Amino acid sequence: MIHLAVNIDHIATLREARGGIEPDPVAAAAIAELAGAVGIVCHLREDRRHVNDRDVRLLRETVKTKLDLEMAATEEIIAIAIDTLPDLVTFVPERREELTTEGGLDVAKNLHYYTEVVAKMHQNDIQVSFFIEPSEEQINAASTTGAEIIELHTGTFANARTQKEQHHELERIRNASKYAASLGLRVTAGHGLHYGNVHHICAIPEMEEISIGHAIISRAAFVGLDTAVRDMIRILQVHSA
Ligand code: PXP
């Protein structure tokens, strides 16, 4: 059975739209956990456009399942991670002008740097995941750093315009999952997954967990967060390999 981690960034996006205190991503995390999420994900961006330092601090105190801090591997955010001690960090690329994370991280290009960063995280008992493209080059690099998990970028799959394109991307994700597992890496996936496309990813045998934000928070606006999380978990239960 594939597990669901819920990304609560967009609860914070809504709060920031008014610059106030509601809705609170900390409350959202508790609701998502009660509904069956096995992890809470938040992305502390350099520009603090949604989740902020207070959120990460309180989430660390209140999340009872697993706190996954998504982050760019910059000096500032690394220091915050070591100070806050999430269960897991997921390294992602980050550009100020992007609307959301665009594509996977190029671990291969900065292999030496990321190997040092992974060691630093491990010294603090923080597990490490790399958000990467489903390519052997990036999987090899992630494995070399000593990270234990990879999160495969599903954005290209989710944005595919034709069935052929979608099938091609799914094959890449399937092959990458198998290859990563053969190296001893744990495999997760995320980005752009929703109620209508997640079943394809669930059917991949090596897949352990998926990370979903936008689709769940969007549905929550209409049906409530508890129902939105439970609806997603039901799909995962039915379609897991
Ligand atoms: N995984 C990673 C690494 C991400 O950056 C994001 C977006 O913040 C997600 C998963 C969730 O993507 P979505 O909001 O499209 O479900």
Side-chain angles (χ1 to χ4, degrees):
M1 161 69 192
I2 297 202
H3 291 126
L4 175 68
V6 175
N7 179 314
I8 42 89
D9 289 352
H10 292 313
I11 297 289
T13 301
L14 200 54
R15 175 190 63 193
E16 295 308 308
R18 285 291 171 96
I21 57 169
E22 285 200 276
D24 191 337
V26 178
I31 292 169
E33 285 188 313
L34 288 170
V38 301
I40 299 299
V41 189
C42 67
H43 185 172
L44 185 66
R45 283 181 168 269
E46 183 198 9
D47 62 11
R48 309 296 197 273
R49 68 172 72 158
H50 37 54
V51 167
N52 60 33
D53 302 56
R54 166 266 185 200
D55 299 333
V56 176
R57 233 179 12 253
L58 288 185
L59 286 167
R60 175 58 300 176
E61 281 186 31
T62 56
V63 166
K64 293 164 191 68
T65 52
K66 172 180 70 183
L67 180 63
D68 177 0
L69 180 62
E70 247 182 55
M71 56 184 276
T74 61
E75 213 175 297
E76 183 209 4
I77 309 289
I78 287 172
I80 291 173
I82 289 174
D83 196 40
T84 327
L85 300 176
D87 300 287
L88 168 72
V89 292
T90 298
F91 289 115
V92 298
E94 190 175 302
R95 291 194 309 125
R96 263 180 181 260
E97 60 276 23
E98 70 191 359
L99 282 177
T100 181
T101 312
E102 296 167 348
L105 188 66
D106 195 344
V107 185
K109 193 172 156 197
N110 294 300
L111 191 55
H112 183 67
Y113 177 69
Y114 285 119
T115 305
E116 283 183 356
V117 174
V118 170
K120 207 178 273 183
M121 292 297 142
H122 284 172
Q123 279 159 19
N124 290 280
D125 284 332
I126 303 171
Q127 290 197 319
V128 178
S129 174
F130 281 109
F131 181 61
I132 55 173
E133 294 298 322
S135 89
E136 285 199 8
E137 185 196 20
Q138 295 302 333
I139 292 168
N140 286 334
S143 171
T144 305
T145 64
E148 40 275 277
I149 306 168
I150 56 160
E151 178 178 339
L152 294 172
H153 175 234
T154 50
T156 314
F157 157 79
N159 291 331
R161 288 175 181 270
T162 62
Q163 258 194 342
K164 192 175 162 202
E165 220 182 291
Q166 192 191 48
H167 183 77
H168 174 74
E169 269 308 306
L170 194 55
E171 257 329 278
R172 284 184 72 211
I173 296 168
R174 254 195 220 119
N175 293 335
S177 303
K178 193 183 284 182
Y179 181 64
S182 78
L183 298 183
L185 286 161
R186 290 166 54 199
V187 183
T188 70
H191 214 279
L193 297 178
H194 55 69
Y195 297 84
N197 67 7
V198 74
H199 60 281
H200 292 292
I201 302 297
C202 295
I204 298 172
E206 294 80 12
M207 201 57 71
E208 273 189 26
E209 190 175 299
I210 53 166
S211 168
I212 305 185
H214 191 263
I216 289 177
I217 305 306
S218 301
R219 180 174 288 221
F222 298 114
V223 304
L225 185 54
D226 179 83
T227 302
V229 172
R230 287 180 198 274
D231 285 351
M232 183 57 79
I233 290 175
R234 204 163 306 121
I235 296 175
L236 304 191
Q237 280 167 345
V238 172
H239 293 283
S240 287

PDB file of all heavy atoms in Angstrom, residues 16-41:
ATOM      1  N   GLU A  16      -1.041  33.902   3.411  1.00  0.00           N
ATOM      2  CA  GLU A  16      -0.218  35.041   2.985  1.00  0.00           C
ATOM      3  C   GLU A  16      -0.977  35.986   2.059  1.00  0.00           C
ATOM      4  O   GLU A  16      -0.601  37.145   1.914  1.00  0.00           O
ATOM      5  CB  GLU A  16       1.068  34.541   2.317  1.00  0.00           C
ATOM      6  CG  GLU A  16       1.997  33.780   3.249  1.00  0.00           C
ATOM      7  CD  GLU A  16       2.311  34.522   4.536  1.00  0.00           C
ATOM      8  OE1 GLU A  16       2.732  35.691   4.462  1.00  0.00           O
ATOM      9  OE2 GLU A  16       2.102  33.948   5.624  1.00  0.00           O
ATOM     10  N   ALA A  17      -2.055  35.479   1.427  1.00  0.00           N
ATOM     11  CA  ALA A  17      -2.844  36.340   0.537  1.00  0.00           C
ATOM     12  C   ALA A  17      -3.413  37.532   1.304  1.00  0.00           C
ATOM     13  O   ALA A  17      -3.676  38.585   0.721  1.00  0.00           O
ATOM     14  CB  ALA A  17      -3.974  35.529  -0.106  1.00  0.00           C
ATOM     15  N   ARG A  18      -3.608  37.363   2.613  1.00  0.00           N
ATOM     16  CA  ARG A  18      -4.093  38.460   3.457  1.00  0.00           C
ATOM     17  C   ARG A  18      -3.073  38.903   4.500  1.00  0.00           C
ATOM     18  O   ARG A  18      -3.343  39.797   5.296  1.00  0.00           O
ATOM     19  CB  ARG A  18      -5.393  38.048   4.153  1.00  0.00           C
ATOM     20  CG  ARG A  18      -6.597  38.052   3.245  1.00  0.00           C
ATOM     21  CD  ARG A  18      -6.940  39.489   2.858  1.00  0.00           C
ATOM     22  NE  ARG A  18      -7.939  39.534   1.824  1.00  0.00           N
ATOM     23  CZ  ARG A  18      -9.248  39.688   2.048  1.00  0.00           C
ATOM     24  NH1 ARG A  18      -9.699  39.771   3.265  1.00  0.00           N
ATOM     25  NH2 ARG A  18     -10.082  39.754   1.038  1.00  0.00           N
ATOM     26  N   GLY A  19      -1.972  38.190   4.540  1.00  0.00           N
ATOM     27  CA  GLY A  19      -0.922  38.558   5.496  1.00  0.00           C
ATOM     28  C   GLY A  19      -1.353  38.396   6.944  1.00  0.00           C
ATOM     29  O   GLY A  19      -0.822  39.071   7.836  1.00  0.00           O
ATOM     30  N   GLY A  20      -2.327  37.534   7.198  1.00  0.00           N
ATOM     31  CA  GLY A  20      -2.826  37.380   8.564  1.00  0.00           C
ATOM     32  C   GLY A  20      -2.374  36.083   9.203  1.00  0.00           C
ATOM     33  O   GLY A  20      -1.244  35.636   8.984  1.00  0.00           O
ATOM     34  N   ILE A  21      -3.282  35.496   9.975  1.00  0.00           N
ATOM     35  CA  ILE A  21      -2.901  34.273  10.697  1.00  0.00           C
ATOM     36  C   ILE A  21      -3.739  33.065  10.282  1.00  0.00           C
ATOM     37  O   ILE A  21      -3.567  31.971  10.803  1.00  0.00           O
ATOM     38  CB  ILE A  21      -2.997  34.459  12.228  1.00  0.00           C
ATOM     39  CG1 ILE A  21      -4.410  34.886  12.652  1.00  0.00           C
ATOM     40  CG2 ILE A  21      -1.978  35.461  12.718  1.00  0.00           C
ATOM     41  CD1 ILE A  21      -4.640  34.829  14.156  1.00  0.00           C
ATOM     42  N   GLU A  22      -4.682  33.265   9.342  1.00  0.00           N
ATOM     43  CA  GLU A  22      -5.524  32.145   8.914  1.00  0.00           C
ATOM     44  C   GLU A  22      -5.551  31.999   7.403  1.00  0.00           C
ATOM     45  O   GLU A  22      -5.508  33.012   6.696  1.00  0.00           O
ATOM     46  CB  GLU A  22      -6.945  32.374   9.414  1.00  0.00           C
ATOM     47  CG  GLU A  22      -7.077  32.104  10.908  1.00  0.00           C
ATOM     48  CD  GLU A  22      -8.520  31.855  11.299  1.00  0.00           C
ATOM     49  OE1 GLU A  22      -9.222  32.834  11.509  1.00  0.00           O
ATOM     50  OE2 GLU A  22      -8.906  30.680  11.340  1.00  0.00           O
ATOM     51  N   PRO A  23      -5.683  30.771   6.907  1.00  0.00           N
ATOM     52  CA  PRO A  23      -5.698  29.513   7.647  1.00  0.00           C
ATOM     53  C   PRO A  23      -4.296  29.117   8.094  1.00  0.00           C
ATOM     54  O   PRO A  23      -3.307  29.521   7.478  1.00  0.00           O
ATOM     55  CB  PRO A  23      -6.249  28.522   6.613  1.00  0.00           C
ATOM     56  CG  PRO A  23      -5.815  29.067   5.291  1.00  0.00           C
ATOM     57  CD  PRO A  23      -5.829  30.557   5.439  1.00  0.00           C
ATOM     58  N   ASP A  24      -4.234  28.336   9.146  1.00  0.00           N
ATOM     59  CA  ASP A  24      -2.950  28.003   9.748  1.00  0.00           C
ATOM     60  C   ASP A  24      -2.454  26.631   9.244  1.00  0.00           C
ATOM     61  O   ASP A  24      -3.125  25.621   9.459  1.00  0.00           O
ATOM     62  CB  ASP A  24      -3.113  27.966  11.272  1.00  0.00           C
ATOM     63  CG  ASP A  24      -1.772  27.901  11.990  1.00  0.00           C
ATOM     64  OD1 ASP A  24      -0.785  27.452  11.369  1.00  0.00           O
ATOM     65  OD2 ASP A  24      -1.709  28.291  13.166  1.00  0.00           O
ATOM     66  N   PRO A  25      -1.307  26.581   8.595  1.00  0.00           N
ATOM     67  CA  PRO A  25      -0.782  25.297   8.102  1.00  0.00           C
ATOM     68  C   PRO A  25      -0.526  24.282   9.221  1.00  0.00           C
ATOM     69  O   PRO A  25      -0.516  23.073   8.972  1.00  0.00           O
ATOM     70  CB  PRO A  25       0.521  25.671   7.391  1.00  0.00           C
ATOM     71  CG  PRO A  25       0.840  27.046   7.818  1.00  0.00           C
ATOM     72  CD  PRO A  25      -0.435  27.704   8.227  1.00  0.00           C
ATOM     73  N   VAL A  26      -0.350  24.773  10.440  1.00  0.00           N
ATOM     74  CA  VAL A  26      -0.112  23.854  11.559  1.00  0.00           C
ATOM     75  C   VAL A  26      -1.397  23.080  11.862  1.00  0.00           C
ATOM     76  O   VAL A  26      -1.369  21.862  12.080  1.00  0.00           O
ATOM     77  CB  VAL A  26       0.394  24.627  12.804  1.00  0.00           C
ATOM     78  CG1 VAL A  26       0.596  23.684  13.980  1.00  0.00           C
ATOM     79  CG2 VAL A  26       1.687  25.358  12.468  1.00  0.00           C
ATOM     80  N   ALA A  27      -2.536  23.779  11.821  1.00  0.00           N
ATOM     81  CA  ALA A  27      -3.827  23.111  12.016  1.00  0.00           C
ATOM     82  C   ALA A  27      -4.087  22.152  10.851  1.00  0.00           C
ATOM     83  O   ALA A  27      -4.582  21.032  11.042  1.00  0.00           O
ATOM     84  CB  ALA A  27      -4.940  24.153  12.116  1.00  0.00           C
ATOM     85  N   ALA A  28      -3.734  22.583   9.643  1.00  0.00           N
ATOM     86  CA  ALA A  28      -3.938  21.731   8.457  1.00  0.00           C
ATOM     87  C   ALA A  28      -3.155  20.423   8.594  1.00  0.00           C
ATOM     88  O   ALA A  28      -3.651  19.354   8.241  1.00  0.00           O
ATOM     89  CB  ALA A  28      -3.496  22.477   7.200  1.00  0.00           C
ATOM     90  N   ALA A  29      -1.952  20.523   9.107  1.00  0.00           N
ATOM     91  CA  ALA A  29      -1.116  19.328   9.263  1.00  0.00           C
ATOM     92  C   ALA A  29      -1.793  18.339  10.205  1.00  0.00           C
ATOM     93  O   ALA A  29      -1.817  17.124   9.939  1.00  0.00           O
ATOM     94  CB  ALA A  29       0.263  19.721   9.793  1.00  0.00           C
ATOM     95  N   ALA A  30      -2.362  18.839  11.289  1.00  0.00           N
ATOM     96  CA  ALA A  30      -3.025  17.950  12.255  1.00  0.00           C
ATOM     97  C   ALA A  30      -4.228  17.267  11.604  1.00  0.00           C
ATOM     98  O   ALA A  30      -4.429  16.060  11.778  1.00  0.00           O
ATOM     99  CB  ALA A  30      -3.453  18.752  13.479  1.00  0.00           C
ATOM    100  N   ILE A  31      -4.997  18.019  10.831  1.00  0.00           N
ATOM    101  CA  ILE A  31      -6.180  17.434  10.165  1.00  0.00           C
ATOM    102  C   ILE A  31      -5.730  16.361   9.159  1.00  0.00           C
ATOM    103  O   ILE A  31      -6.308  15.275   9.083  1.00  0.00           O
ATOM    104  CB  ILE A  31      -7.012  18.535   9.480  1.00  0.00           C
ATOM    105  CG1 ILE A  31      -7.643  19.443  10.540  1.00  0.00           C
ATOM    106  CG2 ILE A  31      -8.092  17.935   8.564  1.00  0.00           C
ATOM    107  CD1 ILE A  31      -8.273  20.720   9.986  1.00  0.00           C
ATOM    108  N   ALA A  32      -4.682  16.672   8.392  1.00  0.00           N
ATOM    109  CA  ALA A  32      -4.194  15.706   7.385  1.00  0.00           C
ATOM    110  C   ALA A  32      -3.701  14.429   8.067  1.00  0.00           C
ATOM    111  O   ALA A  32      -3.952  13.323   7.586  1.00  0.00           O
ATOM    112  CB  ALA A  32      -3.079  16.341   6.553  1.00  0.00           C
ATOM    113  N   GLU A  33      -3.023  14.584   9.187  1.00  0.00           N
ATOM    114  CA  GLU A  33      -2.557  13.387   9.910  1.00  0.00           C
ATOM    115  C   GLU A  33      -3.721  12.564  10.429  1.00  0.00           C
ATOM    116  O   GLU A  33      -3.737  11.341  10.308  1.00  0.00           O
ATOM    117  CB  GLU A  33      -1.670  13.796  11.095  1.00  0.00           C
ATOM    118  CG  GLU A  33      -0.283  14.241  10.695  1.00  0.00           C
ATOM    119  CD  GLU A  33       0.606  14.454  11.917  1.00  0.00           C
ATOM    120  OE1 GLU A  33       0.157  15.110  12.883  1.00  0.00           O
ATOM    121  OE2 GLU A  33       1.749  13.971  11.909  1.00  0.00           O
ATOM    122  N   LEU A  34      -4.722  13.241  10.980  1.00  0.00           N
ATOM    123  CA  LEU A  34      -5.889  12.516  11.515  1.00  0.00           C
ATOM    124  C   LEU A  34      -6.640  11.795  10.400  1.00  0.00           C
ATOM    125  O   LEU A  34      -7.257  10.753  10.620  1.00  0.00           O
ATOM    126  CB  LEU A  34      -6.829  13.490  12.253  1.00  0.00           C
ATOM    127  CG  LEU A  34      -6.298  13.992  13.605  1.00  0.00           C
ATOM    128  CD1 LEU A  34      -7.160  15.129  14.132  1.00  0.00           C
ATOM    129  CD2 LEU A  34      -6.239  12.855  14.620  1.00  0.00           C
ATOM    130  N   ALA A  35      -6.557  12.340   9.190  1.00  0.00           N
ATOM    131  CA  ALA A  35      -7.249  11.726   8.046  1.00  0.00           C
ATOM    132  C   ALA A  35      -6.445  10.560   7.449  1.00  0.00           C
ATOM    133  O   ALA A  35      -6.931   9.869   6.563  1.00  0.00           O
ATOM    134  CB  ALA A  35      -7.531  12.779   6.988  1.00  0.00           C
ATOM    135  N   GLY A  36      -5.203  10.395   7.908  1.00  0.00           N
ATOM    136  CA  GLY A  36      -4.448   9.222   7.461  1.00  0.00           C
ATOM    137  C   GLY A  36      -3.146   9.509   6.730  1.00  0.00           C
ATOM    138  O   GLY A  36      -2.488   8.557   6.273  1.00  0.00           O
ATOM    139  N   ALA A  37      -2.762  10.765   6.604  1.00  0.00           N
ATOM    140  CA  ALA A  37      -1.466  11.062   5.963  1.00  0.00           C
ATOM    141  C   ALA A  37      -0.342  10.507   6.841  1.00  0.00           C
ATOM    142  O   ALA A  37      -0.433  10.580   8.068  1.00  0.00           O
ATOM    143  CB  ALA A  37      -1.297  12.568   5.788  1.00  0.00           C
ATOM    144  N   VAL A  38       0.686   9.955   6.204  1.00  0.00           N
ATOM    145  CA  VAL A  38       1.805   9.415   6.990  1.00  0.00           C
ATOM    146  C   VAL A  38       2.948  10.421   7.113  1.00  0.00           C
ATOM    147  O   VAL A  38       3.957  10.139   7.761  1.00  0.00           O
ATOM    148  CB  VAL A  38       2.381   8.112   6.404  1.00  0.00           C
ATOM    149  CG1 VAL A  38       1.326   7.030   6.307  1.00  0.00           C
ATOM    150  CG2 VAL A  38       3.040   8.368   5.059  1.00  0.00           C
ATOM    151  N   GLY A  39       2.773  11.565   6.476  1.00  0.00           N
ATOM    152  CA  GLY A  39       3.816  12.569   6.564  1.00  0.00           C
ATOM    153  C   GLY A  39       3.279  13.928   6.177  1.00  0.00           C
ATOM    154  O   GLY A  39       2.282  14.030   5.444  1.00  0.00           O
ATOM    155  N   ILE A  40       3.941  14.962   6.695  1.00  0.00           N
ATOM    156  CA  ILE A  40       3.581  16.340   6.349  1.00  0.00           C
ATOM    157  C   ILE A  40       4.802  16.964   5.688  1.00  0.00           C
ATOM    158  O   ILE A  40       5.926  16.872   6.210  1.00  0.00           O
ATOM    159  CB  ILE A  40       3.203  17.139   7.617  1.00  0.00           C
ATOM    160  CG1 ILE A  40       1.984  16.512   8.305  1.00  0.00           C
ATOM    161  CG2 ILE A  40       2.961  18.613   7.274  1.00  0.00           C
ATOM    162  CD1 ILE A  40       0.707  16.461   7.487  1.00  0.00           C
ATOM    163  N   VAL A  41       4.555  17.577   4.547  1.00  0.00           N
ATOM    164  CA  VAL A  41       5.647  18.182   3.787  1.00  0.00           C
ATOM    165  C   VAL A  41       5.437  19.693   3.748  1.00  0.00           C
ATOM    166  O   VAL A  41       4.310  20.162   3.549  1.00  0.00           O
ATOM    167  CB  VAL A  41       5.662  17.665   2.324  1.00  0.00           C
ATOM    168  CG1 VAL A  41       6.921  18.130   1.610  1.00  0.00           C
ATOM    169  CG2 VAL A  41       5.525  16.153   2.281  1.00  0.00           C
TER     170      VAL A  41
END
